[in-house]
Amino acid sequence: MATPIAMPKLGITMEEGTIVEWPKAVGEPVEKGEIVLIIESEKAEVEIEASASGVVRHYYAEPGDVLPCGSLLGAITEDAGAPFDPAAFEAEQAAAEKRSAGAKRTTTPRVAPVRAPAARRGGKAAATPAARVQARRLEIDLGRVAGTGPGGRITRRDVEDFVERRKDLVAVGRGVQLDVPRAGAGDSVLLLPGLGTDVSSFAPQTGALATSHLVLGVNPRGVGASDAPGDEVYSVAQAAADAAQVAEGPAHVIGASLGSAVALEMALAHPERVRTLTLITPFVEVGPRLDAVADSWTRLAAEVSAADLARSLLPWFFSPGFLADAAARERVARGLAATVARVPAATLARAAAGARAWSGSRAADLGRVAVPTLVVVAGGDLLTPDGAAIAAGIPGATHVTIDDAGHGITIEAADAVTDAITTHLSAQD
Amino acid sequence: MARRLSFKDAINEALFIAMRADADVIVMGEDVAGGGGRKDQGIEDAWGGPFGTTKGLIGEFGPKRVRDTPISEMGFVGAAVGAAATGLRPVAELMFIDFLGVALDPLLNQAAKMRYMFGGKARVPLTLRTNVGAGNRAASQHSQALYGFTVAIPGLKTVIPSTPADAKGLLLSAIRDDSPVIFCESKSLMNSEGEVPEGDYEIPIGEAAVLREGSDVTLVGMGSTVHTALAAAETLAADGVHADVIDLRSLYPMDETTILESLAKTGRVVVVDEATPHCGMAADIASLCADKGFDSLDAPVKKVTAPHTPVPFSPVLEDAFMPSADDVVVAVHEQLGWNA
């Protein structure tokens, strides 16, 4: 029996793709998970992995061909001797496609968007020799590892970090596992990061909280070593359900930016899992500027290196006073580069779609929040300026504004945020 | 017991030790005796060349073993090769390596070939001491780092110490080696000081030294650029990047093992060399890493060298010509993807 290689549909707007390269020749053996096809869609090159092991048996299209999503492009058979008729297989696939028209594809390939075209060499994943050797030794698929090296190359340490993080996996249902680093012991604290970042954005707070709590940093779907299901939208409701799964019992839930939307959703939809709520730079509606930044961020993530992407985000995340310190600016540029490298463009697109779909849906429900709530507002926040109004809308909420700080307040005003959280939590213990 | 000595005094001490231990050791070159013994003019001792490295030798060992030569490199290097081939252990001083061109045939076609062409029956225990490198405002014809030329000639060994202690121990090894050894002295280090053990000891030719240990990047220096690499390592450490710093010490034979073991640990190599970039040590080490260290590489090997130009005389340009610690830091940042 043959397995088809088809043009994937990688986003809501994708209708067709261009074949860039077939890395394997017809007759060459291929392992499940190996890169079997490179396509281009919306200016991003994407590597497609084989969904079965065997031998590349036949190609129906050539590099340069532009084909609609779902088109049959090639076939893999168990071995070179297996009976196979290209024309018959094509007809069979066309019939199957017709039968399942409108139905969800069952063989969604895992995708690994390529960040920096400059780092690609001869169609191989952009990884250093040391990273390749280490990935082979540890049996890691490089397509899942984020690169932090020059031009977005995957380095040996990136591979080792990925393996390290896969040790922290927590199942949240339907075969999806999330990367949840743990620290400390005690009552549970859940950290929910914002769009396009991971739990490292809470690094300054984690140490202080871990002295008296079990801190669970929840890397959302598609971030870091968390699984990245092929859904077109990563909804806020799903993220809240995931976090509720991680929590097990009632937890102190702390979210920043999109993470605060998830936290708020948790407090409303899974109140039994929320002991206290901390909303940092929260929003209930995606404003035009946040929308525009999410859009440019998603596009840049597919085109430029993590280092360049991080630098382009600095003006949105940090205040002029903070950026005036050249050393601090360099430090956050590097830190943010490492963070954004762990969030592929596809994840950004899916999470941003979730934020837009959620926008406005909970604006009228703030009054129903029934747990002790802290709202931390950044006085100089360009992206989520409605924090004070949200604090006013939640019954009994404590409102702390940190003057002049930018949206990236957990980093920029790390100590002030930590103090506000520890004060809030100790008032409840 | 060790005490602090300058680089040039460590060389001077090594010459005394070698000449006292072996009557076959002789010293020859331009101004090596320089006025020694002219008591009538108030000169008790030799001037000892531009850096005073042979000062005092003529007073103890006399004019038969410490010989001033005419300003003819072809003549005295040729004579030294002949002396070595016929039983002496000469230490000749080519004042600047820039004069290599006029002395090349005796080195290239005689000294380097004899042991090979006579089936190992001839010995050429010649040491050629010579000043290398820029930084002394000595202009294009007295500032080059031409050791790549001698490394390229099979049959010659080439060494370059970076500390007074290594200068003494490597010079003693060079003098006692039965093959011709080019002993390079970095001008910019001659007045530097360091701890130097007393007595007679040898630093083996062909062994590099690891001067600092780190896990993120390997910095390879030689002669003066060892100190450039150490300064860069200090700056990098402040940013949380930890460097192995390797002092090559021997250019040929080169200690490949130490470089490759460090590369296996760090995944990144930056070679710092004050020679120009083509056909040199930096290119050789980059080639070694690509060939035998490929699977360890986590970033392209970076060469931080002088540019492909003559050494400028303008002090401003000469300073810009020399590889700096900042250049090394930038190269490491590029390897880490910080400037990508």
Side-chain angles (χ1 to χ4, degrees):
Chain A
M1 200 186 112
T3 304
I5 304 169
M7 180 65 73
K9 186 169 173 65
L10 301 174
I12 302 172
T13 56
M14 179 174 169
E15 304 208 337
E16 60 185 25
T18 308
I19 295 182
V20 175
E21 190 186 344
W22 290 109
K24 304 265 176 197
V26 168
E28 244 187 293
V30 62
E31 290 292 324
K32 182 177 179 180
E34 249 190 302
I35 291 151
V36 74
L37 166 65
I38 298 170
I39 63 155
E40 187 202 299
S41 167
E42 296 175 334
K43 294 186 181 168
E45 284 192 1
V46 180
E47 296 171 344
I48 307 299
E49 296 170 0
S51 54
S53 298
V55 165
V56 174
R57 191 61 178 273
H58 188 78
Y59 288 145
Y60 293 94
E62 290 175 5
D65 289 356
V66 182
L67 291 151
C69 297
S71 304
L72 181 65
L73 306 179
I76 296 170
T77 58
E78 278 169 14
D79 56 62
F84 178 74
D85 178 344
F89 186 67
E90 190 171 21
E92 183 188 317
Q93 288 295 307
E97 180 74 30
K98 215 170 175 178
R99 278 199 304 278
S100 69
K104 195 173 174 302
R105 290 164 47 81
T106 51
T107 54
T108 312
R110 288 208 311 255
V111 298
V114 175
R115 233 178 312 284
R120 294 185 53 74
R121 299 284 182 273
K124 291 181 184 168
T128 67
R132 288 176 190 286
V133 170
Q134 195 68 325
R136 257 201 313 275
R137 202 172 66 76
L138 300 170
E139 298 179 348
I140 295 301
D141 169 13
L142 280 174
R144 298 219 45 202
V145 181
T148 63
R153 281 187 191 87
I154 300 162
T155 66
R156 179 171 58 183
R157 184 164 298 171
D158 292 333
V159 174
E160 288 163 357
D161 285 351
F162 182 82
V163 171
E164 199 53 40
R165 285 200 303 274
R166 293 293 288 182
K167 290 178 184 159
D168 295 326
L169 291 185
V170 172
V172 291
R174 289 206 192 179
V176 175
Q177 294 182 301
L178 296 189
D179 164 20
V180 183
R182 309 158 74 93
D187 294 344
S188 295
V189 169
L190 236 56
L191 299 177
L192 307 174
L195 176 69
T197 64
D198 68 358
V199 294
S200 69
S201 53
F202 291 109
Q205 287 77 42
T206 304
L209 292 169
T211 58
S212 50
H213 294 85
L214 168 63
V215 180
L216 301 165
V218 185
N219 282 313
R221 295 177 180 225
V223 171
S226 290
D227 285 339
D231 312 339
E232 285 165 358
V233 177
Y234 288 166
S235 73
V236 171
Q238 181 66 64
D242 289 348
Q245 283 282 329
V246 172
E248 293 174 2
H252 299 290
V253 178
I254 301 171
S257 197
L258 179 57
S260 76
V262 176
L264 178 62
E265 186 66 28
M266 249 185 104
L268 294 166
H270 309 276
E272 74 288 353
R273 295 289 161 94
V274 183
R275 191 166 154 202
T276 71
L277 194 59
T278 299
L279 307 177
I280 300 167
T281 59
F283 64 92
V284 288
E285 287 185 12
V286 176
R289 183 175 257 154
L290 179 57
D291 185 62
V293 170
D295 179 52
S296 66
W297 189 347
T298 307
R299 289 165 188 271
L300 284 173
E303 294 287 329
V304 306
S305 70
D308 287 345
L309 175 59
R311 280 172 202 282
S312 77
L313 292 169
L314 293 184
W316 297 114
F317 278 9
F318 299 101
S319 71
F322 184 77
L323 294 174
D325 178 348
R329 180 170 153 177
E330 272 308 290
R331 205 167 52 242
V332 296
R334 287 169 195 160
L336 192 55
T339 302
V340 300
R342 294 191 281 269
V343 187
T347 296
L348 265 170
R350 292 158 173 167
R356 291 187 179 103
W358 181 82
S359 176
S361 67
R362 291 300 196 179
D365 295 336
L366 293 175
R368 295 206 291 115
V369 173
V371 292
T373 300
L374 165 70
V375 179
V376 183
V377 177
D381 196 335
L382 297 171
L383 300 179
T384 56
D386 301 332
I390 292 167
I394 297 175
T398 307
H399 170 194
V400 174
T401 290
I402 297 168
D403 290 336
D404 302 326
H407 188 71
I409 195 170
T410 57
I411 303 292
E412 172 168 344
D415 292 343
V417 171
T418 305
D419 290 348
I421 295 171
T422 49
T423 304
H424 178 57
L425 296 197
S426 58
Q428 316 305 326
D429 286 336
Chain B
M1 267 297 283
R3 67 259 112 100
R4 286 189 78 74
L5 276 189
S6 72
F7 200 94
K8 62 189 183 194
D9 288 345
I11 289 169
N12 184 256
E13 186 168 285
L15 290 170
F16 268 102
I17 290 170
M19 293 182 81
R20 282 175 192 151
D22 183 350
D24 288 339
V25 177
I26 63 163
V27 168
M28 60 197 296
E30 294 159 5
D31 290 339
V32 295
R38 301 296 301 275
K39 285 186 183 171
D40 54 323
Q41 293 174 18
I43 302 171
E44 290 283 351
D45 213 344
W47 174 56
F51 292 98
T53 47
T54 52
K55 193 174 168 58
L57 294 178
I58 189 164
E60 179 167 339
F61 303 106
K64 282 185 77 175
R65 292 180 65 194
V66 184
R67 305 187 74 119
D68 265 343
T69 66
I71 303 179
S72 168
E73 284 76 10
M74 176 69 124
F76 77 78
V77 173
V81 173
T86 52
L88 293 179
R89 207 167 270 279
V91 182
E93 182 177 321
L94 182 66
M95 199 178 282
F96 296 95
I97 200 171
D98 311 70
F99 307 155
L100 188 65
V102 284
L104 199 52
D105 188 66
L107 280 179
L108 167 64
N109 281 328
Q110 311 307 329
K113 304 291 191 280
M114 273 185 222
R115 299 198 75 186
Y116 174 76
M117 293 181 77
F118 294 106
K121 289 178 181 166
R123 296 181 313 149
V124 189
L126 165 72
T127 300
L128 186 70
R129 293 179 44 239
T130 185
N131 276 304
V132 303
N136 275 39
R137 315 302 185 218
S140 299
Q141 298 153 322
H142 300 79
S143 299
Q144 298 169 87
L146 297 177
Y147 35 72
F149 278 40
T150 61
V151 170
I153 299 171
L156 301 182
K157 296 179 181 178
T158 304
V159 300
I160 182 167
S162 74
T163 64
D166 281 357
K168 180 179 169 185
L170 264 179
L171 182 53
L172 284 165
S173 287
I175 292 169
R176 290 159 185 173
D177 198 291
D178 281 344
S179 294
V181 179
I182 314 301
F183 185 88
C184 299
E185 300 164 12
S186 299
K187 283 186 216 70
S188 57
L189 297 180
M190 291 302 257
N191 290 311
S192 66
E193 290 189 355
E195 296 285 314
V196 177
E198 308 247 20
D200 190 341
Y201 64 91
E202 295 175 19
I203 302 287
I205 293 174
E207 283 186 17
V210 179
L211 300 188
R212 181 179 175 126
E213 295 203 42
S215 55
D216 300 320
V217 63
T218 301
L219 307 180
V220 183
M222 60 211 82
S224 67
T225 59
V226 169
H227 302 277
T228 316
L230 285 169
E234 197 64 37
T235 305
L236 288 164
D239 258 337
V241 177
H242 302 289
D244 254 8
V245 177
I246 294 177
D247 177 355
L248 214 48
R249 302 200 295 197
S250 288
L251 305 184
Y252 188 87
M254 183 168 74
D255 185 351
E256 297 187 352
T257 307
T258 295
I259 296 171
L260 291 170
E261 283 178 357
S262 177
L263 168 59
K265 179 174 66 168
T266 66
R268 302 176 182 88
V269 171
V270 177
V271 191
V272 198
D273 184 8
E274 66 166 307
T276 49
H278 301 297
C279 295
M281 294 311 300
D284 266 18
I285 292 169
S287 152
L288 169 74
C289 295
D291 180 7
K292 296 184 184 169
F294 185 78
D295 284 341
S296 299
L297 285 171
D298 232 350
V301 179
K302 292 281 179 187
K303 292 160 52 185
V304 176
T305 67
H308 187 63
T309 73
V311 183
F313 182 47
S314 149
V316 174
L317 291 179
E318 187 180 12
D319 289 345
F321 173 92
M322 305 270 281
S324 71
D326 281 349
D327 296 337
V328 178
V329 169
V330 167
V332 174
H333 283 186
E334 284 175 8
Q335 289 184 320
L336 292 168
W338 289 2
N339 306 315

